[in-house]
Amino acid sequence: MKPHMFIIRGLPGSGKSTLAKTMCANKTYDHIEADHFFCNPETGEYKFDSSKLQKAHEWCQKKCLTMLAMGKNVVVSNTFTCIWELSPYIEMGFPYNVIECKGNFKNVHNVPNCTIKKMHERWEPYIPQ
């Protein structure tokens, strides 16, 4: 049986990471997101660098594919504001479900409200094929 992937999308502060951590609590799924790229593996300190965002997403995609290829179930959580951003994951060829988080919590990475507003303006709804 092929491993399964949950793709969680939503604006900053919508509950993506919290949901992913909850889904992975029983160790049936492994959690990956582009934000993990910006965490120091020794200290856990998060230090975002917008100039490395594309590299972070490439890292996330590669890590996700590696985990799936090893037979692990994966929960990947990123904003995915535009549908094309989901494509690299969908095209991996593994069974998947897309979950949209719509909560309104304090975002843990202090993303400015003006940035969240721009993300909201370009948001595209996901319609399953």
Side-chain angles (χ1 to χ4, degrees), residues 5-71:
M5 173 175 39
F6 279 104
I7 302 170
I8 302 176
R9 65 188 298 243
L11 298 175
S14 64
K16 298 179 305 294
S17 296
T18 301
L19 176 60
K21 288 174 188 171
T22 301
M23 293 172 72
C24 296
N26 66 2
K27 306 292 185 201
T28 304
Y29 282 80
D30 288 326
H31 177 213
I32 183 74
E33 58 186 46
D35 278 338
H36 294 163
F37 179 84
F38 299 106
C39 290
N40 180 316
E42 295 173 16
T43 65
E45 179 187 5
Y46 177 81
K47 187 167 181 165
F48 181 74
D49 180 345
S50 63
S51 70
K52 296 179 181 176
L53 191 55
Q54 182 175 344
K55 188 173 182 175
H57 282 286
E58 291 168 357
W59 172 87
C60 186
Q61 292 165 17
K62 184 177 178 182
K63 180 118 175 137
C64 183
L65 182 57
T66 299
M67 292 160 76
L68 289 164
M70 292 171 53

